[in-house]
Coordinates of all heavy atoms in Angstrom, one line a residue:
M1 N -34.7 138.5 -55.0 CA -36.1 138.6 -55.3 C -36.3 140.1 -55.6 O -35.8 140.9 -55.1 CB -36.8 138.3 -54.0 CG -38.3 137.9 -54.1 SD -38.8 136.8 -55.4 CE -38.2 135.2 -54.9
P2 N -37.1 140.3 -56.7 CA -37.4 141.7 -57.1 C -38.1 142.5 -56.0 O -38.8 141.9 -55.2 CB -38.4 141.5 -58.3 CG -38.2 140.1 -58.7 CD -37.8 139.4 -57.5
D3 N -37.8 143.7 -55.9 CA -38.4 144.7 -54.9 C -39.7 145.1 -55.5 O -39.9 146.1 -56.1 CB -37.5 145.8 -54.7 CG -38.0 146.8 -53.7 OD1 -38.9 146.4 -52.9 OD2 -37.6 148.0 -53.6
Y4 N -40.8 144.4 -55.1 CA -42.1 144.6 -55.6 C -42.9 145.5 -54.6 O -43.9 146.0 -55.0 CB -42.9 143.4 -55.8 CG -42.5 142.5 -56.9 CD1 -42.4 141.2 -56.8 CD2 -42.0 143.0 -58.1 CE1 -42.0 140.3 -57.9 CE2 -41.6 142.3 -59.2 CZ -41.6 140.9 -59.0 OH -41.3 140.1 -60.1
E5 N -42.4 145.7 -53.5 CA -43.2 146.3 -52.3 C -43.7 147.7 -52.8 O -44.7 148.1 -52.5 CB -42.4 146.4 -51.1 CG -42.2 145.1 -50.4 CD -41.5 145.1 -49.1 OE1 -41.5 146.2 -48.5 OE2 -41.0 144.0 -48.7
K6 N -42.8 148.5 -53.4 CA -43.1 149.8 -53.7 C -43.7 150.1 -55.1 O -44.0 151.1 -55.6 CB -42.0 150.7 -53.5 CG -41.4 150.8 -52.1 CD -40.2 151.6 -51.9 CE -39.6 151.5 -50.5 NZ -38.4 152.2 -50.4
K7 N -43.8 149.0 -55.8 CA -44.3 149.1 -57.2 C -45.8 148.9 -57.2 O -46.4 148.0 -56.6 CB -43.7 147.9 -58.0 CG -42.2 147.8 -57.9 CD -41.5 149.1 -58.4 CE -40.0 148.9 -58.4 NZ -39.3 150.1 -58.4
V8 N -46.5 149.9 -57.9 CA -47.9 149.9 -57.8 C -48.6 149.7 -59.2 O -49.7 149.4 -59.3 CB -48.5 151.2 -57.2 CG1 -48.1 151.3 -55.8 CG2 -47.9 152.4 -58.0
L9 N -47.8 149.8 -60.2 CA -48.3 149.6 -61.6 C -47.7 148.5 -62.2 O -46.5 148.1 -61.9 CB -48.1 150.9 -62.4 CG -48.8 152.1 -62.0 CD1 -48.5 153.3 -62.8 CD2 -50.4 151.9 -61.9
L10 N -48.4 147.8 -63.1 CA -47.8 146.6 -63.8 C -46.5 146.9 -64.5 O -45.6 146.1 -64.5 CB -48.9 146.0 -64.8 CG -50.2 145.5 -64.1 CD1 -51.2 145.2 -65.2 CD2 -49.8 144.3 -63.3
D11 N -46.4 148.0 -65.2 CA -45.2 148.4 -65.9 C -44.0 148.5 -65.0 O -42.9 148.1 -65.3 CB -45.4 149.7 -66.7 CG -46.3 149.5 -67.9 OD1 -46.4 148.4 -68.3 OD2 -46.9 150.5 -68.3
E12 N -44.2 149.0 -63.8 CA -43.2 149.1 -62.8 C -42.7 147.7 -62.4 O -41.5 147.5 -62.1 CB -43.6 149.9 -61.5 CG -43.9 151.4 -61.8 CD -44.4 152.1 -60.7 OE1 -45.1 151.5 -59.8 OE2 -44.2 153.4 -60.6
L13 N -43.7 146.7 -62.2 CA -43.3 145.4 -61.9 C -42.5 144.7 -63.0 O -41.5 144.0 -62.7 CB -44.5 144.6 -61.7 CG -45.3 144.9 -60.4 CD1 -46.6 144.1 -60.4 CD2 -44.5 144.6 -59.2
L14 N -42.8 145.0 -64.3 CA -41.9 144.4 -65.3 C -40.6 145.0 -65.2 O -39.6 144.3 -65.5 CB -42.6 144.8 -66.7 CG -43.8 144.0 -67.1 CD1 -44.4 144.7 -68.4 CD2 -43.5 142.6 -67.3
D15 N -40.4 146.3 -65.0 CA -39.1 146.9 -64.9 C -38.3 146.3 -63.7 O -37.1 146.0 -63.8 CB -39.2 148.4 -64.7 CG -39.7 149.2 -65.9 OD1 -39.6 148.6 -67.0 OD2 -40.1 150.3 -65.7
A16 N -39.0 146.0 -62.6 CA -38.4 145.4 -61.4 C -37.9 144.0 -61.7 O -36.9 143.6 -61.3 CB -39.3 145.4 -60.2
L17 N -38.7 143.2 -62.5 CA -38.4 141.9 -62.8 C -37.1 141.9 -63.7 O -36.1 141.1 -63.6 CB -39.5 141.2 -63.6 CG -39.3 139.8 -64.0 CD1 -38.9 138.9 -62.8 CD2 -40.5 139.2 -64.7
R18 N -37.1 142.8 -64.8 CA -36.0 142.9 -65.7 C -34.7 143.3 -65.0 O -33.7 142.6 -65.2 CB -36.3 144.0 -66.8 CG -35.1 144.1 -67.7 CD -35.3 145.1 -68.9 NE -36.3 146.1 -68.7 CZ -37.6 146.2 -69.1 NH1 -38.0 145.2 -69.7 NH2 -38.3 147.2 -68.9
E19 N -34.8 144.2 -64.0 CA -33.6 144.6 -63.2 C -33.2 143.4 -62.3 O -31.9 143.2 -62.3 CB -34.1 145.8 -62.4 CG -32.9 146.4 -61.6 CD -33.3 147.6 -60.8 OE1 -34.1 148.4 -61.3 OE2 -32.9 147.8 -59.7
Y20 N -34.1 142.8 -61.7 CA -33.8 141.7 -60.9 C -32.9 140.6 -61.6 O -31.9 140.1 -61.2 CB -35.0 141.1 -60.2 CG -34.7 139.8 -59.5 CD1 -34.1 139.8 -58.2 CD2 -35.2 138.6 -60.0 CE1 -33.9 138.7 -57.6 CE2 -35.0 137.4 -59.3 CZ -34.2 137.4 -58.1 OH -34.0 136.3 -57.4
L21 N -33.5 140.2 -62.8 CA -32.9 139.2 -63.6 C -31.5 139.6 -64.1 O -30.6 138.8 -64.2 CB -33.8 138.7 -64.7 CG -35.2 138.0 -64.3 CD1 -36.1 137.9 -65.5 CD2 -34.9 136.7 -63.7
S22 N -31.4 140.8 -64.4 CA -30.1 141.4 -64.9 C -29.1 141.3 -63.8 O -27.9 140.9 -64.0 CB -30.3 142.8 -65.4 OG -30.7 142.9 -66.7
K23 N -29.4 141.7 -62.6 CA -28.6 141.7 -61.5 C -28.1 140.3 -61.1 O -27.1 140.0 -60.5 CB -29.1 142.4 -60.3 CG -29.2 143.9 -60.4 CD -29.8 144.5 -59.2 CE -29.7 146.1 -59.3 NZ -30.4 146.7 -58.2
Q24 N -29.0 139.3 -61.4 CA -28.7 137.9 -61.2 C -27.8 137.3 -62.2 O -27.3 136.2 -62.1 CB -30.0 137.0 -61.2 CG -31.0 137.3 -60.1 CD -30.4 136.8 -58.8 OE1 -30.0 135.6 -58.7 NE2 -30.4 137.6 -57.7
G25 N -27.4 138.1 -63.3 CA -26.5 137.7 -64.3 C -27.2 136.8 -65.3 O -26.5 136.1 -66.0
K26 N -28.5 136.9 -65.4 CA -29.2 136.0 -66.4 C -28.9 136.5 -67.8 O -28.7 137.8 -68.0 CB -30.7 136.1 -66.2 CG -31.1 135.6 -64.8 CD -30.7 134.2 -64.4 CE -31.3 133.8 -63.1 NZ -30.7 132.6 -62.6
S27 N -28.8 135.6 -68.8 CA -28.6 136.0 -70.1 C -29.8 136.8 -70.8 O -30.9 136.7 -70.2 CB -28.4 134.8 -71.1 OG -29.6 134.1 -71.2
H28 N -29.5 137.6 -71.8 CA -30.5 138.4 -72.5 C -31.6 137.5 -72.9 O -32.8 137.8 -72.8 CB -29.9 139.1 -73.6 CG -30.8 139.9 -74.4 ND1 -31.4 141.1 -73.9 CD2 -31.3 139.8 -75.6 CE1 -32.2 141.6 -74.7 NE2 -32.2 140.8 -75.8
I29 N -31.3 136.4 -73.5 CA -32.3 135.5 -74.0 C -33.2 134.9 -72.8 O -34.4 134.8 -72.9 CB -31.7 134.2 -74.7 CG1 -31.0 134.7 -75.9 CG2 -32.8 133.2 -75.1 CD1 -31.8 135.3 -77.0
L30 N -32.6 134.6 -71.7 CA -33.4 134.1 -70.6 C -34.3 135.2 -70.0 O -35.5 135.0 -69.7 CB -32.5 133.5 -69.5 CG -33.2 132.9 -68.3 CD1 -34.1 131.7 -68.8 CD2 -32.3 132.4 -67.2
I31 N -33.8 136.4 -70.0 CA -34.5 137.6 -69.5 C -35.8 137.7 -70.4 O -36.9 137.9 -69.9 CB -33.8 138.9 -69.4 CG1 -32.7 138.7 -68.3 CG2 -34.6 140.0 -69.2 CD1 -31.7 139.8 -68.2
L32 N -35.6 137.6 -71.7 CA -36.7 137.8 -72.6 C -37.7 136.7 -72.4 O -38.9 136.9 -72.6 CB -36.2 137.8 -74.1 CG -35.4 139.0 -74.5 CD1 -35.0 138.8 -76.0 CD2 -36.3 140.2 -74.4
S33 N -37.2 135.4 -72.1 CA -38.1 134.3 -71.9 C -39.0 134.6 -70.7 O -40.2 134.1 -70.7 CB -37.3 133.0 -71.6 OG -36.6 132.7 -72.7
Y34 N -38.5 135.3 -69.7 CA -39.4 135.7 -68.6 C -40.3 136.8 -68.9 O -41.4 136.9 -68.5 CB -38.5 136.0 -67.3 CG -38.1 134.8 -66.6 CD1 -36.9 134.1 -66.9 CD2 -38.8 134.4 -65.4 CE1 -36.4 133.0 -66.2 CE2 -38.3 133.2 -64.8 CZ -37.2 132.6 -65.2 OH -36.8 131.5 -64.4
L35 N -39.8 137.8 -69.6 CA -40.5 139.0 -69.8 C -41.6 138.9 -70.8 O -42.7 139.6 -70.8 CB -39.5 140.1 -70.2 CG -38.6 140.7 -69.1 CD1 -37.7 141.8 -69.7 CD2 -39.4 141.2 -68.0
C36 N -41.4 138.1 -71.9 CA -42.4 138.0 -72.9 C -43.8 137.6 -72.3 O -44.8 138.2 -72.6 CB -41.9 137.1 -74.0 SG -43.1 136.9 -75.4
P37 N -43.8 136.4 -71.6 CA -45.1 136.1 -71.0 C -45.6 137.1 -70.1 O -46.8 137.4 -70.0 CB -44.8 134.7 -70.3 CG -43.6 134.2 -70.9 CD -42.8 135.4 -71.4
A38 N -44.7 137.7 -69.2 CA -45.2 138.7 -68.3 C -45.8 140.0 -69.0 O -46.8 140.5 -68.6 CB -44.0 139.1 -67.4
R39 N -45.2 140.3 -70.2 CA -45.7 141.5 -70.9 C -47.1 141.1 -71.5 O -48.0 142.0 -71.5 CB -44.8 141.7 -72.1 CG -43.6 142.6 -71.6 CD -42.8 143.1 -72.8 NE -41.5 143.7 -72.4 CZ -40.3 143.3 -72.8 NH1 -40.2 142.3 -73.7 NH2 -39.2 143.9 -72.3
K40 N -47.2 139.9 -72.0 CA -48.5 139.5 -72.6 C -49.6 139.5 -71.5 O -50.7 139.9 -71.7 CB -48.4 138.1 -73.3 CG -47.7 138.2 -74.5 CD -47.9 136.9 -75.3 CE -47.0 137.0 -76.5 NZ -47.1 136.9 -77.7
L41 N -49.2 139.0 -70.3 CA -50.2 139.1 -69.2 C -50.5 140.5 -68.9 O -51.7 140.8 -68.7 CB -49.6 138.4 -68.0 CG -50.4 138.5 -66.7 CD1 -51.8 137.9 -66.8 CD2 -49.7 138.0 -65.5
C42 N -49.6 141.4 -68.8 CA -49.8 142.8 -68.5 C -50.7 143.5 -69.6 O -51.6 144.2 -69.2 CB -48.5 143.6 -68.4 SG -47.6 143.3 -66.9
R43 N -50.5 143.2 -70.8 CA -51.3 143.6 -71.9 C -52.7 143.1 -71.7 O -53.7 143.9 -71.9 CB -50.8 143.2 -73.3 CG -50.4 144.4 -74.1 CD -49.8 144.1 -75.4 NE -48.4 143.8 -75.3 CZ -47.8 142.7 -75.8 NH1 -48.4 141.8 -76.5 NH2 -46.5 142.5 -75.6
Y44 N -52.9 141.9 -71.4 CA -54.2 141.3 -71.2 C -54.9 142.0 -70.0 O -56.1 142.4 -70.1 CB -54.0 139.8 -71.0 CG -55.3 139.1 -70.5 CD1 -56.2 138.7 -71.5 CD2 -55.6 138.9 -69.2 CE1 -57.4 138.1 -71.1 CE2 -56.8 138.3 -68.9 CZ -57.7 137.8 -69.8 OH -58.9 137.2 -69.5
L45 N -54.2 142.2 -68.9 CA -54.8 142.8 -67.8 C -55.1 144.2 -68.1 O -56.2 144.7 -67.7 CB -53.8 142.8 -66.6 CG -53.4 141.4 -66.1 CD1 -52.3 141.5 -65.1 CD2 -54.7 140.8 -65.5
K46 N -54.3 144.9 -68.8 CA -54.7 146.4 -69.1 C -55.9 146.4 -70.0 O -56.8 147.3 -69.8 CB -53.5 147.0 -69.9 CG -52.3 147.3 -68.9 CD -51.2 148.0 -69.7 CE -50.0 148.2 -68.9 NZ -48.8 148.7 -69.7
D47 N -56.0 145.5 -70.9 CA -57.2 145.4 -71.8 C -58.5 145.1 -70.9 O -59.6 145.5 -71.3 CB -57.1 144.3 -72.9 CG -56.1 144.7 -73.9 OD1 -55.7 145.8 -74.0 OD2 -55.7 143.8 -74.7
K48 N -58.3 144.4 -69.8 CA -59.4 144.2 -68.9 C -59.6 145.3 -67.9 O -60.5 145.3 -67.0 CB -59.2 142.9 -68.2 CG -59.1 141.6 -69.1 CD -60.5 141.4 -69.7 CE -60.4 140.1 -70.6 NZ -61.6 139.9 -71.3
G49 N -58.8 146.3 -68.0 CA -58.9 147.5 -67.1 C -58.2 147.3 -65.7 O -58.4 148.0 -64.8
I50 N -57.4 146.3 -65.6 CA -56.6 146.0 -64.4 C -55.3 146.6 -64.5 O -54.4 146.1 -65.3 CB -56.6 144.5 -64.2 CG1 -58.0 143.9 -64.0 CG2 -55.8 144.1 -62.9 CD1 -58.0 142.4 -63.9
L51 N -55.0 147.6 -63.7 CA -53.6 148.2 -63.8 C -52.9 148.0 -62.5 O -51.6 148.2 -62.4 CB -53.8 149.7 -64.0 CG -54.5 150.1 -65.3 CD1 -54.7 151.6 -65.4 CD2 -53.8 149.6 -66.5
N52 N -53.6 147.7 -61.4 CA -53.0 147.5 -60.1 C -52.7 146.0 -59.8 O -53.7 145.3 -59.9 CB -53.9 148.2 -59.0 CG -53.3 148.2 -57.7 OD1 -52.4 147.4 -57.3 ND2 -53.6 149.2 -56.8
P53 N -51.6 145.6 -59.6 CA -51.3 144.2 -59.3 C -52.1 143.6 -58.1 O -52.4 142.5 -58.2 CB -49.8 144.2 -58.9 CG -49.2 145.4 -59.5 CD -50.3 146.5 -59.5
E54 N -52.6 144.5 -57.2 CA -53.4 144.0 -56.1 C -54.8 143.5 -56.5 O -55.5 142.8 -55.9 CB -53.5 145.0 -55.0 CG -52.2 145.3 -54.4 CD -52.3 146.5 -53.3 OE1 -53.4 147.0 -53.2 OE2 -51.3 146.8 -52.6
D55 N -55.1 143.9 -57.7 CA -56.4 143.6 -58.3 C -56.4 142.3 -59.1 O -57.5 141.8 -59.5 CB -57.0 144.7 -59.2 CG -57.2 146.0 -58.5 OD1 -57.5 145.9 -57.3 OD2 -57.1 147.0 -59.1
I56 N -55.3 141.6 -59.2 CA -55.2 140.3 -59.9 C -55.5 139.2 -59.0 O -55.0 139.1 -57.9 CB -53.8 140.2 -60.4 CG1 -53.3 141.3 -61.3 CG2 -53.6 138.8 -61.1 CD1 -51.8 141.3 -61.7
D57 N -56.5 138.4 -59.4 CA -56.8 137.2 -58.5 C -56.7 135.9 -59.4 O -56.4 135.9 -60.6 CB -58.2 137.4 -58.0 CG -59.3 137.6 -59.1 OD1 -59.1 137.3 -60.3 OD2 -60.4 138.1 -58.7
K58 N -56.9 134.8 -58.7 CA -56.9 133.5 -59.4 C -57.7 133.4 -60.6 O -57.4 132.8 -61.6 CB -57.0 132.4 -58.4 CG -56.0 132.2 -57.4 CD -56.3 131.0 -56.5 CE -55.2 130.9 -55.5 NZ -55.5 129.6 -54.6
E59 N -58.9 133.9 -60.5 CA -59.9 133.9 -61.7 C -59.4 134.6 -62.8 O -59.5 134.1 -63.9 CB -61.2 134.4 -61.2 CG -62.3 134.3 -62.3 CD -63.6 134.8 -61.8 OE1 -63.9 135.0 -60.6 OE2 -64.5 135.1 -62.7
T60 N -58.8 135.8 -62.6 CA -58.2 136.6 -63.7 C -57.1 135.8 -64.4 O -57.0 135.8 -65.6 CB -57.7 137.9 -63.2 OG1 -58.7 138.6 -62.5 CG2 -57.1 138.8 -64.3
L61 N -56.2 135.1 -63.6 CA -55.2 134.3 -64.2 C -55.7 133.1 -64.9 O -55.1 132.8 -65.9 CB -54.2 133.9 -63.1 CG -53.4 135.1 -62.4 CD1 -52.6 134.6 -61.3 CD2 -52.6 135.8 -63.4
R62 N -56.7 132.5 -64.4 CA -57.3 131.4 -65.1 C -57.9 131.9 -66.4 O -57.8 131.2 -67.5 CB -58.5 130.7 -64.3 CG -57.9 129.7 -63.3 CD -59.0 128.8 -62.8 NE -60.0 129.7 -62.0 CZ -59.9 129.9 -60.7 NH1 -58.9 129.4 -60.0 NH2 -60.9 130.6 -60.2
D63 N -58.5 133.0 -66.4 CA -59.1 133.6 -67.7 C -58.0 133.9 -68.7 O -58.2 133.7 -69.8 CB -59.8 134.9 -67.4 CG -61.2 134.7 -66.6 OD1 -61.7 133.5 -66.6 OD2 -61.7 135.7 -66.1
F64 N -56.8 134.3 -68.2 CA -55.7 134.6 -69.0 C -55.2 133.3 -69.7 O -54.9 133.2 -70.9 CB -54.6 135.3 -68.3 CG -53.3 135.4 -69.1 CD1 -53.3 136.4 -70.2 CD2 -52.2 134.8 -68.8 CE1 -52.1 136.4 -71.0 CE2 -51.0 134.9 -69.5 CZ -51.0 135.8 -70.6
Q65 N -55.2 132.2 -68.9 CA -54.8 131.0 -69.4 C -55.8 130.5 -70.5 O -55.4 130.0 -71.6 CB -54.7 129.9 -68.3 CG -54.1 128.6 -68.6 CD -53.9 127.7 -67.4 OE1 -54.5 128.1 -66.3 NE2 -53.3 126.6 -67.5
L66 N -57.0 130.6 -70.3 CA -58.0 130.3 -71.3 C -57.9 131.2 -72.5 O -58.0 130.7 -73.6 CB -59.4 130.4 -70.7 CG -59.9 129.3 -69.7 CD1 -61.3 129.6 -69.2 CD2 -59.9 128.0 -70.5
F67 N -57.6 132.4 -72.3 CA -57.4 133.3 -73.5 C -56.2 132.8 -74.3 O -56.3 132.8 -75.5 CB -57.0 134.7 -72.9 CG -56.5 135.7 -73.9 CD1 -57.3 136.3 -74.9 CD2 -55.1 135.9 -74.0 CE1 -56.8 137.2 -75.7 CE2 -54.6 136.8 -74.8 CZ -55.4 137.5 -75.8
L68 N -55.1 132.3 -73.7 CA -54.0 131.8 -74.4 C -54.4 130.6 -75.3 O -54.0 130.5 -76.4 CB -52.8 131.5 -73.5 CG -52.2 132.7 -72.9 CD1 -51.1 132.2 -71.8 CD2 -51.6 133.6 -73.8
Y69 N -55.1 129.7 -74.7 CA -55.6 128.5 -75.4 C -56.6 128.9 -76.5 O -56.4 128.4 -77.7 CB -56.3 127.5 -74.5 CG -55.4 126.7 -73.6 CD1 -55.5 126.7 -72.2 CD2 -54.5 125.9 -74.1 CE1 -54.7 126.0 -71.4 CE2 -53.6 125.1 -73.3 CZ -53.7 125.2 -72.0 OH -53.0 124.4 -71.2
Q70 N -57.6 129.7 -76.2 CA -58.7 129.9 -77.2 C -58.5 131.0 -78.1 O -58.8 130.8 -79.3 CB -60.0 130.2 -76.3 CG -60.5 129.0 -75.5 CD -61.6 129.3 -74.5 OE1 -61.9 130.5 -74.3 NE2 -62.1 128.2 -73.9
E71 N -58.0 132.1 -77.6 CA -57.8 133.3 -78.5 C -56.5 133.2 -79.3 O -56.4 133.6 -80.4 CB -58.0 134.6 -77.8 CG -59.3 134.7 -77.0 CD -60.4 134.9 -77.9 OE1 -60.3 135.6 -79.0 OE2 -61.6 134.3 -77.6
R72 N -55.5 132.7 -78.7 CA -54.1 132.7 -79.3 C -53.8 131.4 -79.9 O -52.8 131.2 -80.6 CB -53.1 133.2 -78.3 CG -53.2 134.4 -77.7 CD -52.9 135.5 -78.8 NE -53.0 136.8 -78.2 CZ -53.0 137.9 -79.0 NH1 -52.9 137.8 -80.3 NH2 -53.0 139.1 -78.5
D73 N -54.7 130.4 -79.5 CA -54.5 129.0 -80.0 C -53.0 128.4 -79.7 O -52.4 127.8 -80.5 CB -54.7 129.0 -81.6 CG -55.0 127.6 -82.1 OD1 -55.6 126.8 -81.3 OD2 -54.7 127.2 -83.3
Y74 N -52.6 128.8 -78.5 CA -51.3 128.2 -78.0 C -51.5 126.8 -77.6 O -52.5 126.4 -77.1 CB -50.8 129.0 -76.8 CG -50.3 130.4 -77.1 CD1 -49.8 131.3 -76.2 CD2 -50.2 130.9 -78.4 CE1 -49.3 132.5 -76.4 CE2 -49.7 132.2 -78.7 CZ -49.3 132.9 -77.7 OH -48.8 134.2 -77.9
T75 N -50.4 126.0 -77.7 CA -50.4 124.6 -77.3 C -50.3 124.5 -75.8 O -50.0 125.5 -75.1 CB -49.2 123.8 -78.0 OG1 -48.0 124.5 -77.4 CG2 -49.2 124.0 -79.5
Y76 N -50.6 123.3 -75.4 CA -50.4 123.0 -73.9 C -49.0 123.4 -73.5 O -48.8 124.0 -72.4 CB -50.8 121.6 -73.6 CG -50.6 121.2 -72.2 CD1 -51.5 121.5 -71.2 CD2 -49.4 120.6 -71.8 CE1 -51.2 121.1 -69.9 CE2 -49.2 120.2 -70.5 CZ -50.1 120.5 -69.6 OH -49.9 120.2 -68.2
D77 N -48.0 123.0 -74.2 CA -46.7 123.2 -73.8 C -46.3 124.7 -73.7 O -45.6 125.1 -72.8 CB -45.6 122.5 -74.8 CG -45.7 121.0 -74.7 OD1 -46.1 120.5 -73.6 OD2 -45.2 120.4 -75.6
T78 N -46.8 125.4 -74.7 CA -46.5 126.9 -74.6 C -47.2 127.5 -73.5 O -46.6 128.3 -72.7 CB -47.0 127.5 -76.0 OG1 -46.3 126.9 -77.1 CG2 -46.8 129.1 -76.0
V79 N -48.4 127.2 -73.1 CA -49.2 127.7 -72.1 C -48.5 127.3 -70.8 O -48.3 128.2 -69.8 CB -50.7 127.4 -72.1 CG1 -51.4 127.8 -70.8 CG2 -51.4 128.0 -73.3
S80 N -48.0 126.1 -70.7 CA -47.4 125.7 -69.5 C -46.2 126.5 -69.2 O -45.8 126.9 -68.1 CB -47.0 124.2 -69.5 OG -48.2 123.4 -69.6
R81 N -45.4 126.7 -70.3 CA -44.1 127.5 -70.2 C -44.5 128.9 -69.7 O -43.8 129.5 -68.9 CB -43.4 127.5 -71.5 CG -42.0 127.8 -71.4 CD -41.2 127.6 -72.7 NE -41.9 127.7 -74.0 CZ -42.5 126.8 -74.7 NH1 -42.2 125.5 -74.4 NH2 -43.0 127.1 -75.9
Y82 N -45.5 129.4 -70.3 CA -45.9 130.8 -69.9 C -46.3 130.9 -68.5 O -45.9 131.8 -67.7 CB -47.2 131.3 -70.8 CG -46.8 132.1 -72.0 CD1 -45.9 131.6 -72.9 CD2 -47.4 133.3 -72.2 CE1 -45.6 132.4 -74.0 CE2 -47.1 134.0 -73.3 CZ -46.2 133.6 -74.2 OH -45.9 134.3 -75.3
I83 N -47.1 129.9 -68.0 CA -47.5 129.9 -66.6 C -46.2 129.8 -65.7 O -46.2 130.4 -64.7 CB -48.5 128.8 -66.4 CG1 -49.8 129.0 -67.1 CG2 -48.8 128.7 -64.9 CD1 -50.4 130.3 -67.0
Y84 N -45.3 129.0 -66.1 CA -44.0 128.8 -65.3 C -43.3 130.1 -65.2 O -42.9 130.6 -64.1 CB -43.1 127.8 -66.0 CG -41.8 127.7 -65.4 CD1 -41.5 127.0 -64.2 CD2 -40.7 128.4 -65.9 CE1 -40.3 126.9 -63.7 CE2 -39.5 128.4 -65.3 CZ -39.3 127.6 -64.2 OH -38.0 127.5 -63.6
Y85 N -43.2 130.8 -66.3 CA -42.4 132.1 -66.2 C -43.3 133.2 -65.5 O -42.7 134.0 -64.8 CB -42.1 132.6 -67.6 CG -41.0 131.8 -68.3 CD1 -41.1 131.2 -69.5 CD2 -39.8 131.6 -67.6 CE1 -40.1 130.5 -70.1 CE2 -38.7 130.9 -68.2 CZ -38.9 130.3 -69.4 OH -37.8 129.6 -69.9
I86 N -44.6 133.1 -65.7 CA -45.4 134.1 -65.0 C -45.4 133.9 -63.5 O -45.5 134.9 -62.7 CB -46.8 134.1 -65.6 CG1 -46.8 134.8 -67.0 CG2 -47.8 134.8 -64.7 CD1 -48.1 134.5 -67.8
A87 N -45.3 132.7 -63.1 CA -45.3 132.4 -61.6 C -44.1 133.1 -61.0 O -44.3 133.7 -59.8 CB -45.2 130.9 -61.4
S88 N -43.0 133.2 -61.7 CA -41.9 134.0 -61.2 C -42.2 135.5 -61.0 O -41.6 136.1 -60.1 CB -40.6 133.8 -62.0 OG -40.8 134.5 -63.2
F89 N -43.0 135.9 -61.8 CA -43.5 137.3 -61.8 C -44.2 137.7 -60.5 O -44.1 138.8 -59.9 CB -44.4 137.6 -63.0 CG -44.8 139.1 -63.2 CD1 -43.9 140.0 -63.3 CD2 -46.1 139.4 -63.3 CE1 -44.2 141.3 -63.6 CE2 -46.5 140.7 -63.5 CZ -45.5 141.7 -63.7
F90 N -44.8 136.7 -59.8 CA -45.5 136.9 -58.6 C -44.8 136.3 -57.3 O -45.3 136.5 -56.3 CB -46.9 136.1 -58.7 CG -47.8 136.8 -59.7 CD1 -48.0 136.3 -61.0 CD2 -48.5 137.9 -59.3 CE1 -48.8 136.9 -61.9 CE2 -49.4 138.5 -60.2 CZ -49.5 138.0 -61.5
D91 N -43.7 135.7 -57.6 CA -42.9 135.2 -56.4 C -42.3 136.4 -55.6 O -42.0 137.4 -56.1 CB -41.7 134.3 -56.8 CG -42.3 132.9 -57.0 OD1 -43.4 132.6 -56.7 OD2 -41.6 132.1 -57.7

């Protein structure tokens, strides 16, 4: 499990996730599969002025999901995949 306890900024969480997956021996492609959705979420949050992971709530994540459907025109399968990978970001 990534060491999130001391991480206070979203970018630090991304670095911790990348490091964790690398130490697990995950392939470069799989690491990118996890990081791409997490990066998009972080960009979305930063645009909303949310920089601290403690400020993320269920409503914000639902808004991000709607953003993917409406603004990015992603399919149900793509959004489902994003949500799956993003969930690991919060485990």
Side-chain angles (χ1 to χ4, degrees):
M1 203 42 75
D3 179 20
Y4 291 142
E5 288 181 24
K6 298 178 184 174
K7 308 302 182 194
V8 293
L9 297 176
L10 294 171
D11 291 335
E12 292 175 334
L13 288 175
L14 284 173
D15 291 340
L17 179 61
R18 179 179 25 262
E19 184 178 320
Y20 171 75
L21 293 170
S22 279
K23 286 182 180 179
Q24 292 288 312
K26 305 298 184 194
S27 72
H28 179 71
I29 297 297
L30 185 60
I31 291 170
L32 290 177
S33 295
Y34 278 87
L35 289 178
C36 182
R39 282 187 187 125
K40 285 192 192 242
L41 173 62
C42 287
R43 242 179 277 134
Y44 173 83
L45 294 170
K46 286 177 185 178
D47 288 346
K48 299 290 182 187
I50 300 172
L51 302 176
N52 186 332
E54 292 178 357
D55 296 334
I56 302 168
D57 58 17
K58 287 182 182 181
E59 184 179 340
T60 303
L61 293 175
R62 278 193 300 269
D63 290 345
F64 175 67
Q65 191 174 7
L66 285 173
F67 167 79
L68 293 176
Y69 282 124
Q70 296 171 350
E71 302 293 322
R72 297 291 183 194
D73 202 27
Y74 286 179
T75 65
Y76 174 82
D77 290 339
T78 300
V79 173
S80 294
R81 200 168 36 253
Y82 265 52
I83 299 305
Y84 172 80
Y85 288 126
I86 287 170
S88 71
F89 188 58
F90 291 99
D91 280 344

